[in-house]
Amino acid sequence: MRRRLFVLIFVLSVMAGCGVRTDGQVTIPETEPSSKTSARVELAEAMDAFGVLKQLDDAWQKRDCAAVERLTTWAESTLGGRACKATRNGRPAPARKRYTEAEFFLPNAADEDRWFVALARKPDPAYFLFVNEGDNWRIGAGPILVTGKSREPIEGAVPTDDPSTGVKARLAPQRYLAYLTDPAGVSGVTFPKGDAIRGLFGELVQRTEKVRPDRLTTDVRLIDGPQRALKLPDGGALVIHALEIEYRQKTGPGRSSLSHPLYGKGDLRGFTGKAKPAGLTGTEIVLVATEITGGTKMSTIALRRGLATLTAD
């Protein structure tokens, strides 16, 4: 049976308020050692873990980078490291919304990697990946903003050793990497018209032209991590994964500073402290929720990008 719950905003406010101190620091509530013999995530536990979102929102608002680090993991922690410290140097803190009416999809797998996915319906649909580390729940990815329609997962995670759906779930990140690094299209990887990843691909191609006479090179890499994929009807899968895009921008001949910096004044000031750098190296994280059908089709149903690091020459 698929487990779901729509959580009202006043319930979340009560649950998530625990662990917030009035001295400007955000703490994680102490978690008692689990007495369960199974590693399976239960609905009540997932519902309680969703309250970590409010703690993270408060930490960002107060620029409490130590709390941001404790409340995040995997790809989301990369977005909260130097990016959080940059907000102390004048970069605006990210505008984080208070998400409610969550529907929980539990992997129902009794292994050491304890995780679940939540789909918050309001204020805008977004996916979140929660991961349990050291008996504390942390946000591994999210919000990942919904950009397309998806079928609802059915009970259970996709086994990594599944010879059909499991293989397709493992290959999904690699296929994204092949698509984004293949301007000629020789890999044969395609996405449907209007897919969000096609828009990102177009931007990667156009950025080189937009910054001229500056020079720009781009690298795309995968962010490693355990497979986190939920079963969809008819042999499909919902896969949560992440990419890293690194931009290296240099001045053109005869110039001492960049003509068209990729990033604005707030980012430059917060990360580098410079207004007119001679070169930039920036790393963006792309969080993705992908739907794989029972056949071979693949589509992006949710995507979010964020600047993780920026250095100046």
Side-chain angles (χ1 to χ4, degrees):
M1 177 184 299
R2 182 175 65 251
R3 302 184 181 193
R4 63 170 67 181
L5 182 68
F6 292 98
V7 184
L8 297 179
I9 188 169
F10 68 85
V11 177
L12 277 178
S13 299
V14 173
M15 292 191 309
C18 300
V20 180
R21 303 199 325 229
T22 58
D23 59 359
Q25 299 293 312
V26 179
T27 62
I28 302 175
E30 293 292 330
T31 303
E32 295 294 330
S34 175
S35 61
K36 300 189 294 293
T37 58
S38 171
R40 185 169 59 191
V41 181
E42 302 296 341
L43 180 58
E45 187 178 12
M47 176 179 170
D48 185 59
F50 194 78
V52 173
L53 280 178
K54 184 178 184 301
Q55 297 178 46
L56 182 59
D57 294 343
D58 292 341
W60 272 109
Q61 185 177 11
K62 297 171 183 177
R63 292 169 171 79
D64 184 353
C65 298
V68 171
E69 181 179 357
R70 292 194 302 269
L71 293 163
T72 57
T73 186
W74 192 53
E76 200 64 38
S77 65
T78 306
L79 286 168
R82 290 196 59 200
C84 181
K85 294 178 181 178
T87 63
R88 296 175 173 177
N89 298 324
R91 184 185 187 226
R96 297 184 63 90
K97 301 176 181 179
R98 295 297 170 95
Y99 286 91
T100 61
E101 296 193 11
E103 186 173 0
F104 298 97
F105 302 107
L106 310 181
N108 199 27
D111 56 27
E112 293 183 358
D113 184 28
R114 304 186 70 237
W115 59 275
F116 69 91
V117 173
L119 173 60
R121 301 291 183 180
K122 290 185 177 181
D124 300 299
Y127 284 98
F128 295 85
L129 170 68
F130 289 81
V131 179
N132 188 269
E133 289 185 356
D135 292 329
N136 286 316
W137 283 100
R138 304 167 188 258
I139 301 171
I144 314 176
L145 307 179
V146 173
T147 60
K149 294 182 179 180
S150 172
R151 296 169 296 164
E152 291 188 355
I154 58 179
E155 183 180 5
V158 176
T160 56
D161 58 354
D162 182 275
S164 178
T165 308
V167 171
K168 288 183 285 189
R170 290 200 306 273
L171 290 178
Q174 292 285 351
R175 295 180 69 189
Y176 273 76
L177 180 64
Y179 178 77
L180 291 174
T181 57
D182 180 27
V186 297
S187 68
V189 178
T190 61
F191 288 86
K193 184 178 181 180
D195 192 289
I197 205 66
R198 293 183 62 162
L200 176 57
F201 174 80
E203 182 178 328
L204 293 179
V205 173
Q206 295 169 7
R207 273 192 164 186
T208 301
E209 296 297 326
K210 287 184 177 180
V211 301
R212 292 188 185 280
D214 300 333
R215 296 167 294 179
L216 182 68
T217 57
T218 304
D219 285 333
V220 184
R221 299 180 287 265
L222 299 180
I223 295 181
D224 293 332
Q227 175 178 296
R228 277 124 184 188
L230 294 165
K231 294 179 181 178
L232 290 176
D234 304 323
L238 173 66
V239 185
I240 305 295
H241 58 106
L243 300 155
E244 181 181 80
I245 303 176
E246 182 181 86
Y247 299 97
R248 293 184 298 275
Q249 186 179 5
K250 302 292 184 181
T251 57
R255 299 192 61 89
S256 60
S257 62
L258 297 174
S259 299
H260 306 289
L262 281 177
Y263 301 99
K265 294 180 179 180
D267 289 330
L268 289 174
R269 181 173 61 252
F271 278 101
T272 73
K274 297 182 179 181
K276 296 182 178 181
L280 289 174
T281 300
T283 301
E284 295 181 7
I285 305 300
V286 184
L287 307 176
V288 188
T290 298
E291 177 180 305
I292 303 171
T293 67
T296 59
K297 294 182 178 180
M298 184 173 61
S299 60
T300 306
I301 61 168
L303 184 142
R304 168 173 153 239
R305 293 168 56 190
L307 179 62
T309 65
L310 183 63
T311 58
D313 297 342

